[in-house]
Each structure stands twice: as C-alpha cells, then as structure tokens.
Amino acid sequence: MLVAAAICPSPPLLVPDVAAGAAPELDTARTACVDALGVLAASRPQVLLVVGPAGPGELPGPRVQGTPGSFEGFGVPVPVRLGAPAGPLPEGRLPAALAVGAWLLDRARWSCAPVEGLAVDTGLPAATCLETGRQLAGRAPRVALLVMGDGSACRSRKAPGYLDERAAPFDAQAARALGAADTAGLASLDEALARELGAAGRAPWQVLAGAAEGARLSGRLLYEDAPYGVGYVVATWS
C-alpha cells in the first residue's frame, strides 16, 4: 500500500556540477526536493520505488538497487547509483530522470529502505499507467514513491519547445492535482496535449495516481515554477 510519495522535477540541472554557474537558480527547488524526501523517510516505508520517464534513446523498465548512472552525457562525469553506494554493479543504466532521483537520494543520505527504480515510456497510455501504479502499491504493506518528472517544455520563447499558450494552463492543472493528492485530476491529464507540450512527467504522475487509489493521502505543494521555460513542481503526499 502506498504510504507516501514525493514528486520532484527531473532536469539534470538540479545537479550543481551540471548546472555550473547557473546552479544557484535552482537552489530553492533543490531545498524543496530535500524536504520532500524527508516526508518519505518519516513514512517508514519497506521499499522506495523511484519512478521517472525514459527519455529518447533510453530503455523503459525496472532498475534494481545499485544500478549505475552518470551525467557524462551532460558534460560532467558525476557517477550515481540507485540506493546503494557500494557492491557489485548490476546490469543496465539509469535513465537521466532516475539518475537525478538517485542523486537526490544520495544528497539526502537515504538509508531508510531498499530502493528500486522504474523508467516509464512517456507515451504509455493513461490506463496502463494507472494499472502499473496499482501493481507498485501492492509490492509491500508500506510502499513509498519518489516520482520524477517535468511539466510542459513550452512556457517561454526560450523554452525547449518554444512558447505555447496551452502550456501554463496544463501545468496549472497538473500542479493543482499534485498539490492536492488528486488522483482523478492526474488521471484526467490529456495524453495528446502532454506529448505536444513535451510534458515528460505526465506518465509517471499517472502511475502515482494509480498507486494512490484508495490510500486517502493528503498533498502539499512545496514548489512550483518554470525556470528555463519548463514547468517544475515539488510536492508531497502522505
């Protein structure tokens, strides 16, 4: 059963070494993410599942504890591992979003429960996302999720997807649902519109919606902004 969730954005720019001189611009977001992980720790989970989008060229599917990742593709040789600082390296690599999640867990010195990952195809239908979430929630009596994902990439003319007037309303709808632990609101996010706006968080958020069905959790919005023209949200459910 799902007992807590933390929702965080997934840009590699959250890692200061990647952001370099621009790192202070996301200090508030980083602090909010650490606070969100504190809520997960306080929930005393038996397993923590990190869920995030599989980007272009990245393989969707599960990742076991200890799976390695890196930010070498972003010009910085910063290695990370999913919830295990030592031991044999499992096969496979972490997609960028899960690597950011692993970095956040390392920053927070996570040691509360075993950690596994799931990379979700950004085109996964909503119904499949919801069913996937239900299955994750059934993994143990006390399950926590760290859900990585961004909103639209079209909030300004300098955004990766340029300016789209539909982006701000889409992000506002998602932020309201994430801040209120509104599973129905997340489930109703428009798949086609999310794809057009480059909102890679849509599928992971809908996995969360499925996992939280019947859990009667309360939400709290910790951060919402669109630096670089991309919608970022940090929230907690507990």
Side-chain angles (χ1 to χ4, degrees), residues 6 9 19 25 28 32 42-43 51 56 59 79 94 124 140 160 172 176 216:
E25 296 178 19
T28 303
S43 73
V51 180
L59 292 176
L94 295 176
L124 204 65
R176 282 194 299 270
R216 303 172 72 101

Side-chain angles (χ1 to χ4, degrees), residues 87-113:
L89 288 176
E91 294 184 4
R93 299 284 294 179
L94 295 176
L98 296 191
V100 175
W103 179 84
L104 287 173
L105 290 171
D106 182 64
R107 180 185 175 96
R109 299 184 179 181
W110 178 268
S111 60
C112 303

Side-chain angles (χ1 to χ4, degrees), residues 34-77:
V34 172
D35 290 345
L37 290 178
V39 172
L40 295 185
S43 73
R44 298 178 290 108
Q46 294 168 303
V47 61
L48 172 65
L49 303 170
V50 184
V51 180
E58 297 176 332
L59 292 176
R63 302 297 195 276
V64 300
Q65 179 161 293
T67 299
S70 174
F71 299 100
E72 290 179 347
F74 302 93
V76 178

Side-chain angles (χ1 to χ4, degrees), residues 93-156:
R93 299 284 294 179
L94 295 176
L98 296 191
V100 175
W103 179 84
L104 287 173
L105 290 171
D106 182 64
R107 180 185 175 96
R109 299 184 179 181
W110 178 268
S111 60
C112 303
V115 181
E116 299 176 23
L118 177 65
V120 181
D121 189 322
T122 57
L124 204 65
T128 306
C129 292
L130 295 171
E131 180 55 31
T132 298
R134 296 181 193 113
Q135 293 174 4
L136 294 183
R139 289 284 308 277
R142 301 186 66 82
V143 173
L145 294 185
L146 171 56
V147 183
M148 309 297 298
D150 302 339
S152 73
C154 303
R155 291 282 292 275
S156 72

Side-chain angles (χ1 to χ4, degrees), residues 5-16 25-42 48 97 100-110 145-150 220-225 227 231-237:
I7 299 94
C8 294
S10 61
L13 287 172
L14 273 180
V15 180
E25 296 178 19
L26 290 179
D27 278 349
T28 303
R30 291 186 194 96
T31 299
C33 289
V34 172
D35 290 345
L37 290 178
V39 172
L40 295 185
L48 172 65
V100 175
W103 179 84
L104 287 173
L105 290 171
D106 182 64
R107 180 185 175 96
R109 299 184 179 181
W110 178 268
L145 294 185
L146 171 56
V147 183
M148 309 297 298
D150 302 339
R220 182 183 175 203
L221 188 65
L222 304 183
Y223 173 90
E224 179 190 5
D225 203 354
Y232 298 154
V233 172
V234 180
T236 60
W237 294 17

